[in-house]
Structures are given as structure tokens and as C-alpha cells.
Amino acid sequence: MKHPTRLFLKNFITHLLTIAIPVLVLGTLAFNLTYYYIYDSAADASLKSLEQARQSVSQVTAASDAIEKTFNPDAFSGISLKQILKMEHHTYGAAVRLPVFSSILNSLVNTNDSIDSAYIYWPGDYDKLLVSNRGISYLYRMKDTGWIPEYEAYAADLSRPLDVSSRAMRDEQGAERPVITLYQKIITLDYQSSGGMAVINVRQDVIQNSLKNQRMSPGQQIYLFNDSGSFLTGTDMLDEKHGAMLRELVLSPEGGETSEAGSIHKSQDGYTISVMRDADAPFLYV
């Protein structure tokens, strides 16, 4: 005859396992479902915040597009800005038209808080350009010349109507401040020989604050790259380790979960990283 205590323990353990095993299975399943739901929700919220950031930055690209269309000499008849900039001495007609061009450029710049300044330039014998809130100037008089090497490298690439980079801009007092510069080609029938371009300097601090306002949570960071993988600005400044990791990710986005909105990646440090490519401008949002 079995001992009553042993029989009780055996029956108790049998019943306990009968109840515990389904509970453990269901608990594991519920945990996994909850994890993936939270992950998907976070990824979806992240992509939505990137889309909001894209819409905010698109106001700047819309301004560059407006400047290109306004000063494109193929768009109207009469004396164009391109003709004026290539003159050594202004004719009466040029002298009448120039204040109009200056007023239009000033208006396009001053009505957009993100834009610091803009230059309209066609290379010529006299190296003249139209500068917002200043009027006609010459390259040799400009304190800010950091944009010229980028212009020279980019002007010959006919496949890209718009390029962007970050740089330090020098003002008339010699002080430097960070800007994001858009190089908007003024595409004319003779562009290959004329090389006209609008150079639009965007305030980096305004874009940074705009990105901060799009965050869904205090722990989220948003970074703006150009489509060559160069860092432009973000909600904080990238350290070397994370900057290299994100740069590699935006240039080689394979391996993530892709959707129409963008792609989702998991970093080695456990971060969930979303990448969105702007279809209309050379920007990557991370």
C-alpha cells in the first residue's frame, strides 16, 4: 500500500503540471504578441514622425524650387537676371529691372524663417551675383565663399537638379555659423554652358528645432542626412560610433523590414532605427 503523503504529492504535482504547462505556453505566446505589437507600434510611430519631419523640411525645398522658377530666364521675356549679371555696366533697362529682382529675392527669403540668405549666380567675366538683402555683389567682395567649391563640383552633374550639404557660413562681420546649403540648379536651355544656380543657406538651428518638435517620445532622436550619407543636423549631435553606424545604414539599407513608408532596422545596441528616403529631395531621415 502506497503512503498517503506520497500519493497526495504525486497527484498534486500531476495536477499542478497540467495547469502550469498551458499557462506557461499561453504566457509565452502573450509575451511575444505583446512584444511584437509594441515593436510594430513604435516602428509605425517612428515612421510617422519622420514623415512629419519630411513635411516640415519640404517647406525649404519648396522655397528653393520657387526661387529657381522665379529667376529662370526661360520663363519670361525681357531683360533677365542672367543678362544683368553678365553685364559690365548696366543699361537703363537693367537698372530698372534690377530692383524688382532684388525685391522678389528678398521677399522669398524674408518670409521663410528657415532661410538665412540666398545667392543667385551665373558664372561670367565679371563674377557678379545677386545676394538677398544686399543686391548685386562680386565674388571677390564676398566674405562667404565656402559654397564655391561645392558649386564647382556640382554644377557639371546634370543628373541632379538639387544638392545639399552642411557647412560653416561666414557673415559680413567675419563670424561663422552653421548652415545647411541647398544648391538649386537654374535649368535653362543653355544650362550646360551657362551653369546658373541658386544657393540657399538654411539656418541649421531652425531645422534642428523643427526635428525636435516632431519626436513622438523624449527618447526618440531624429537625424537628417543627405542622400550621399553626410550628416546635416539632428535633434542631438551624433557621436563618432553612432554616426558611423547610421551612415553605414543609410548607404546600405538592406536587411531591414521595408514598407512603402520606409524601412525598420534593429541595431546591435538594441535600438529600433527607421530610415525614410525623400522621393522629391536629396534627404534621408533617420
Side-chain angles (χ1 to χ4, degrees):
M1 182 177 178
K2 294 183 178 180
H3 195 282
T5 304
R6 291 181 179 178
L7 183 62
F8 171 78
L9 288 174
K10 180 180 178 181
N11 291 335
F12 175 76
I13 292 172
T14 301
H15 286 294
L16 183 63
L17 291 175
T18 302
I19 296 171
I21 291 175
V23 170
L24 288 172
V25 171
L26 291 173
T28 302
L29 179 62
F31 173 81
N32 288 331
L33 290 174
T34 302
Y35 171 80
Y36 286 111
Y37 173 77
I38 293 174
Y39 173 79
D40 289 342
S41 298
D44 184 59
S46 177
L47 287 174
K48 285 181 179 178
S49 66
L50 294 186
E51 172 59 24
Q52 292 175 356
R54 187 197 67 78
Q55 292 177 8
S56 176
V57 174
S58 69
Q59 296 177 21
V60 175
T61 55
S64 74
D65 187 57
I67 290 173
E68 191 277 334
K69 286 181 169 57
T70 300
F71 293 97
N72 192 315
D74 292 346
F76 56 86
S77 59
I79 297 176
S80 69
L81 179 62
K82 182 175 77 169
Q83 290 173 305
I84 295 174
L85 293 179
K86 290 180 178 290
M87 293 177 181
E88 182 178 9
H89 303 291
H90 294 162
T91 63
Y92 174 78
V96 170
R97 185 65 68 92
L98 182 56
V100 176
F101 287 134
S102 293
S103 177
I104 293 171
L105 181 60
N106 295 344
S107 177
L108 290 169
V109 169
N110 296 337
T111 55
N112 192 318
D113 293 338
S114 302
I115 299 179
D116 178 281
S117 55
Y119 318 140
I120 310 295
Y121 176 65
W122 273 275
D125 294 337
Y126 310 108
D127 281 336
K128 297 162 70 174
L129 68 163
L130 181 64
V131 179
S132 61
N133 297 308
R134 183 174 166 186
I136 291 289
S137 186
Y138 296 83
L139 287 185
Y140 71 87
R141 291 181 181 174
M142 295 286 290
K143 294 289 186 182
D144 179 37
T145 57
W147 57 274
I148 297 176
E150 184 82 9
Y151 163 81
E152 292 173 342
Y154 172 59
D157 185 358
L158 299 180
S159 65
R160 294 165 59 84
L162 178 66
D163 200 10
V164 60
S165 66
S166 62
R167 66 186 186 92
M169 178 183 136
R170 179 170 294 176
D171 62 23
E172 292 305 305
Q173 287 72 44
E176 292 188 344
R177 57 181 178 274
V179 294
I180 299 170
T181 299
L182 278 67
Y183 301 86
Q184 173 73 62
K185 287 182 177 141
I186 301 178
I187 303 296
T188 55
L189 295 176
D190 65 345
Y191 174 80
Q192 198 156 6
S193 59
S194 67
M197 192 170 294
V199 179
I200 298 129
N201 301 306
V202 179
R203 292 177 54 187
Q204 191 182 76
D205 60 329
V206 173
I207 300 300
Q208 185 179 56
N209 289 333
S210 176
L211 295 179
K212 288 179 179 179
N213 291 335
Q214 310 308 326
R215 293 185 295 185
M216 294 292 186
S217 64
Q220 183 186 10
Q221 304 297 342
I222 301 176
Y223 303 107
L224 183 64
F225 291 79
N226 67 14
D227 58 3
S228 298
S230 297
F231 176 70
L232 299 175
T233 189
T235 48
D236 68 358
M237 299 309 293
L238 283 169
D239 58 41
E240 185 176 350
K241 175 184 176 183
H242 289 101
M245 182 266 292
L246 290 178
R247 195 171 297 110
E248 181 180 358
L249 187 64
V250 299
L251 293 177
S252 302
E254 295 81 7
E257 301 176 19
T258 59
S259 66
E260 291 184 3
S263 57
I264 308 296
H265 303 262
K266 290 284 287 187
S267 75
Q268 294 179 351
D269 297 328
Y271 295 106
T272 299
I273 302 170
S274 305
V275 179
M276 177 181 290
R277 180 179 292 273
D278 194 324
D280 302 316
F283 292 116
L284 289 165
Y285 301 84
V286 182

